[in-house]
Amino acid sequence: MPYLIKDTDIRAAIANCTQAKTLWLDTEVADYQTDKPRLSLIQVLEDASDRKGDRVFILDVLEKPKLVAEFIAEIMVNPAIEKVFHNAQYDLNFLGKKKAKNITCTLELARKIPYYLVPLPNFQLKTLAEHLGDFPSIDKTEQRGNWGYRPLTPNQIDYAKMDAVYLAQVHQRLLQLAYPDPAAEDIEALTLRYRQIEDRWQQLDTEVQQLKERLKAAMQAQNCSQINGFRLSSQTRTTKKVAFKHLVRVTQALGFDLDLSVQLTKEIQQKLGNLMTELPIDEEISTSWRLLIEEWEEQEIPF
DNA sequence: CCGCAGATCTGTAATTCCCG
DNA sequence: CGGGAATTACAGATCTGCGG
């Protein structure tokens, strides 16, 4: 696990990385609570099969904007290299922002996986790693540690190293769970599975629904805004409206250029009647699909 | 602390269901 | 088929959670 401090070493590592097809990347940031956060470390892993972190490169780039710029120019902007991050958005703030190309975000990936497959309380990288990567419970105390002091403690370096490993493991596992190809689905099997769980689901769903409604009403009635993690909140909002004729009158009188169109609902169309033909009407046609499910009687298989 | 992509909430319109 | 009720779709406002 090379921890690189010298400029020449870091340059060599960057050059080496430009050959990779996929890189798993993480960063550590100092002074993140201030308005001038500083990039402290860039962790790079080329080999997803490394579960110990022996092959993670830790680039120490604190106060080295030139090397960071080089990293961005050589790697981040290069569309030929896939760069994987967790919550990529955050790291990209320091690594090229919108100029970065070919970015994969494991947080986005994880959120697309249905809850029943990955029933986790949150999608923090550590949580995903514990559950999907089969890592023992992970210590997160370093996350809020001070990444602006040097030298870093061995514990910090180890933590930084393992982040890249977790990322690669989680990424690979998420890909396995990702969406199946609709063209290759077994529709018959899907309908059978649906029927299998339909009854249980209906029971649970209707009960959950009712519990929510009863709680909402009860908490309102009993003036209880918070209990056992259930919170009742209310918000008002104001919608402003104006009679159409006033809008027309004012905008015309003042020569006000209001470039908007009005949606012709069924009601308005009826009122307009023949006038419809006089108007330059824009039509937008969209198609929506929906699934209808008929009731099911248990069918005996005849012999 | 902070930016921001998504989820969630909520009101309204559109569509479908249902009954005589 | 009419017409009201129920369901679904959509859009705008607001909330949440992630990273360090």
Side-chain angles (χ1 to χ4, degrees):
Chain A
M1 178 268 304
Y3 169 49
L4 308 179
I5 305 176
K6 285 195 291 185
D7 286 13
T8 49
D9 291 342
I10 295 175
R11 287 220 166 80
I14 294 175
N16 179 314
C17 287
T18 57
Q19 305 306 312
K21 192 161 158 282
T22 303
L23 292 175
W24 289 269
L25 295 166
D26 188 33
T27 60
E28 305 302 332
V29 175
D31 306 333
Y32 53 82
Q33 59 285 61
T34 71
D35 54 2
K36 271 188 280 178
R38 294 178 294 159
L39 192 56
S40 172
L41 300 180
I42 304 174
Q43 304 97 288
V44 191
L45 180 58
E46 279 187 73
D47 176 5
S49 67
D50 174 18
R51 284 182 59 94
K52 287 191 195 158
D54 297 336
R55 303 209 47 196
V56 176
F57 286 87
I58 301 180
L59 315 185
D60 194 325
V61 293
L62 191 68
E63 306 293 356
K64 291 177 181 172
K66 271 191 187 170
L67 286 176
V68 174
E70 212 174 300
F71 187 88
I72 294 170
E74 296 289 321
I75 297 179
M76 296 307 295
V77 174
N78 185 347
I81 310 171
E82 179 188 24
K83 275 82 61 179
V84 183
F85 293 91
H86 192 68
N87 198 6
Q89 165 110 29
Y90 180 82
D91 303 87
L92 289 191
N93 277 329
F94 305 95
L95 291 178
K97 310 202 168 150
K98 285 176 182 162
K99 282 182 282 176
K101 291 274 147 47
N102 200 351
I103 304 296
T104 301
C105 176
T106 48
L107 175 61
E108 278 174 35
L109 218 53
R111 293 214 243 240
K112 284 183 189 159
I113 311 255
Y115 180 74
Y116 82 96
L117 285 175
V118 185
L120 299 175
N122 60 60
F123 293 136
Q124 292 169 17
L125 181 61
K126 273 94 202 147
T127 313
L128 291 169
E130 284 174 8
H131 187 268
L132 297 177
D134 198 25
F135 288 98
S137 70
I138 295 161
D139 179 28
K140 348 187 161 181
T141 47
E142 291 293 353
Q143 175 164 8
R144 287 159 182 278
N146 191 331
W147 297 97
Y149 279 163
R150 292 295 182 273
L152 296 167
T153 67
N155 209 23
Q156 279 182 305
I157 294 176
D158 190 61
Y159 175 91
K161 166 188 85 175
M162 290 311 287
D163 261 359
V165 172
Y166 301 147
L167 177 67
Q169 294 292 313
V170 164
H171 179 231
Q172 293 201 316
R173 198 71 188 92
L174 287 176
L175 286 182
Q176 290 171 8
L177 295 168
Y179 277 124
D181 170 17
E185 293 271 38
D186 179 349
I187 296 176
E188 187 85 9
L190 294 179
T191 62
L192 284 176
R193 178 61 183 157
Y194 184 94
R195 294 303 182 190
Q196 249 178 27
I197 60 174
E198 185 175 28
D199 193 50
R200 268 185 294 151
W201 160 66
Q202 290 262 5
Q203 289 189 29
L204 278 176
D205 193 58
T206 50
E207 184 176 359
V208 166
Q209 210 69 25
Q210 201 209 22
L211 283 172
K212 281 186 185 170
E213 279 163 23
R214 286 170 67 181
L215 269 169
K216 207 162 124 184
M219 287 170 79
Q220 251 180 80
Q222 300 176 27
N223 229 340
C224 165
S225 70
Q226 182 161 357
I227 184 169
N228 302 339
F230 292 78
R231 278 193 303 131
L232 183 69
S233 71
S234 72
Q235 60 240 358
T236 57
R237 52 179 166 155
T238 48
T239 330
K240 296 180 178 171
K241 295 188 177 186
V242 63
F244 190 66
K245 58 184 175 188
H246 291 141
L247 191 62
V248 171
R249 181 171 52 77
V250 170
T251 49
Q252 281 197 338
L254 302 182
F256 200 80
D257 184 25
L258 248 193
D259 185 18
L260 57 80
S261 49
V262 175
Q263 187 162 320
L264 299 179
T265 61
K266 296 280 165 189
E267 193 188 347
I268 299 179
Q269 288 182 37
Q270 211 170 11
K271 282 181 182 165
L272 283 173
N274 287 335
L275 281 175
M276 289 282 292
T277 53
E278 312 275 324
L279 296 167
I281 293 172
D282 261 340
E283 285 193 345
E284 274 174 36
I285 299 172
S286 60
T287 314
S288 65
W289 300 78
R290 74 175 182 136
L291 179 65
L292 297 165
I293 299 162
E294 287 168 13
E295 275 202 38
W296 182 253
E297 288 133 46
E298 292 295 321
Q299 285 182 9
E300 304 296 329
I301 299 161
F303 281 96

